[in-house]
Amino acid sequence: MFPVNFEYRRAHSAQEALAALQEHGGEARVLAGGQSLIPAMRYRLARPAVLVDINPVREFDFLREEGGQLRIGATLRDAALEFTPWVGERYSLLADVSRVVADPVVRHLGTVVGSVCHNDPAGDWTSAALAARATMLVHGADGEREVPIDDFLVDAYTTAVQDGELAVELRIPTPGARTRGSYQKIERKVGDYATAAAAVQLSLNEDGTVREAGVAITAAGSTALRVAQAEAMLRGQRPTLELLQAAAAEASTLASPMADARGSVAYKKDMARVLVLRGLKQSLSRLGVPA
Ligand SMILES: Cc1cc2nc3c(=O)[nH]c(=O)nc-3n(C[C@H](O)[C@H](O)[C@H](O)COP(=O)(O)OP(=O)(O)OC[C@H]3O[C@@H](n4cnc5c(N)ncnc54)[C@H](O)[C@@H]3O)c2cc1C
């Protein structure tokens, strides 16, 4: 099917993009990689009257560490994370995700910020953003605001970005030397959305106890879900196998997936547990701690 008619606007600067979005309000949508928006338009699930293409905005194409954070610009492609060696060395969780989102073609076009803005319940970046405690920088008529990821992900396909606003940058706290993460995903075939997936990040104290834990699950609810109970159980404790198993079981309790061709509710709930456990173990293994 073809999309309904729309006006196409190319923005060459952040100001131009914002002006176009504010001029058209709820009628306008941002076009980033187009990997979710264009299919939605072709199926007529989305019918924006105006598309504001931010791809020509050079100032949005960046990946840098600054102020203790990794800063991911609005047009940075998934593939940039996959092929930047220092990301692999310092951001194990993000590096894992960058290898399993969709397929290589989609990853060369799709953007990290666009994926988080799309907020697909089965999206991989949203879970990672939760586990890594990301924030999103949003620009609008009243200036800029930095939104914690838990507040940014409002509901399926809905975020804190309002009409006339633009997400410009995802910020991920730079993990310290004693922090590692892992992303575990089960998919029917390469390039598919997750049947189930889990994002985990663990920080250890000098004495080997858990200083901070980030645990989130994918395709288990209307958005990616933070498994807050698991995080609370892990914090301050020594990561024994029994503790990891108990924390992972919380993912199964929280998960509320939908049955579909990828699996039953019971299967997906159990996979949430299995994948969180694998993620916890791999994070510890990357920290040099046997589990
Ligand atoms: C075949 C296929 C397989 C896929 N498999 C997976 C998968 O396994 N896992 C996964 O996570 N994803 C998957 N995707 C989705 C893919 O990762 C998309 O790239 C991503 O979800 C959206 O990023 P985008 O840059 O293409 O955004 P777009 O499609 O351009 O935009 C998506 C939405 O976000 C909004 N938006 C984008 N950028 C901004 C911004 N800066 N500010 C405000 N709003 C913005 C748009 O207006 C639109 O509503 C798949 C896609 C395809 C086509």
Side-chain angles (χ1 to χ4, degrees):
M1 230 195 290
F2 293 106
V4 295
N5 284 344
F6 60 90
E7 184 188 332
Y8 173 75
R9 299 272 295 266
R10 276 170 81 83
H12 294 89
S13 67
Q15 288 86 344
E16 249 183 69
L18 263 182
L21 289 168
Q22 281 158 21
E23 183 186 337
H24 297 284
E27 297 287 290
R29 293 284 278 276
V30 174
L31 176 68
Q35 296 304 289
S36 295
L37 182 55
I38 299 299
M41 288 172 65
R42 293 190 63 183
Y43 284 108
R44 302 200 171 182
L45 299 169
R47 297 163 176 248
V50 181
L51 275 196
V52 179
D53 185 354
I54 60 170
N55 286 283
V57 183
R58 296 177 69 113
E59 68 209 71
F60 285 163
D61 187 17
F62 63 86
L63 176 68
R64 61 172 178 262
E65 281 185 308
E66 196 180 300
Q69 295 172 319
L70 181 69
R71 299 183 165 200
I72 301 174
T75 59
L76 190 95
R77 314 289 153 180
D78 293 355
L81 275 93
E82 188 178 1
F83 295 110
T84 300
W86 57 262
V87 170
E89 288 154 20
R90 296 209 278 283
Y91 296 85
S92 42
L93 169 58
L94 303 187
D96 281 357
V97 177
S98 75
R99 290 189 285 266
V100 297
V101 174
D103 54 49
V105 177
V106 172
R107 295 201 292 269
H108 275 86
L109 289 165
T111 66
V112 179
V113 170
S115 181
V116 176
C117 287
H118 188 54
N119 197 10
D120 187 321
D124 296 299
W125 288 115
T126 44
S127 288
L130 278 172
R133 292 194 157 68
T135 57
M136 186 74 87
L137 189 67
V138 178
H139 282 189
D142 300 329
E144 63 177 40
R145 59 200 173 98
E146 192 171 345
V147 187
I149 190 69
D150 296 78
D151 300 330
F152 188 82
L153 305 174
V154 174
D155 204 347
Y157 309 107
T158 308
T159 69
V161 177
Q162 304 292 315
D163 291 345
E165 289 190 328
L166 177 68
V168 296
E169 182 180 320
L170 186 71
R171 296 177 168 176
I172 312 266
T174 300
R178 297 188 62 79
T179 297
R180 291 289 183 278
S182 167
Y183 192 68
Q184 300 285 328
K185 176 176 178 178
I186 294 179
E187 55 192 357
R188 285 181 307 177
K189 56 183 170 57
V190 170
D192 195 16
Y193 284 91
T195 300
V200 169
Q201 187 165 278
L202 286 180
S203 305
L204 298 186
N205 292 309
E206 284 290 323
D207 66 1
T209 55
V210 175
R211 182 170 57 77
E212 188 52 279
V215 181
I217 50 179
T218 307
S222 60
T223 68
L225 299 177
R226 177 182 297 290
V227 192
Q229 289 281 58
E231 295 176 348
M233 286 171 79
L234 291 160
R235 218 169 275 134
Q237 302 300 314
R238 199 161 288 284
T240 61
L241 181 58
E242 292 69 30
L243 178 65
L244 303 189
Q245 287 170 334
E250 294 295 336
S252 186
T253 305
L254 180 71
S256 179
M258 287 194 339
D260 58 17
R262 295 182 176 90
S264 66
V265 169
Y267 172 71
K268 291 181 178 186
K269 279 174 82 72
D270 199 43
M271 284 306 103
R273 177 189 65 78
V274 168
L275 296 176
V276 168
L277 184 58
R278 283 184 195 166
L280 290 168
K281 285 181 174 176
Q282 186 170 49
S283 301
L284 286 170
S285 151
R286 285 173 168 170
L287 283 160
V289 178

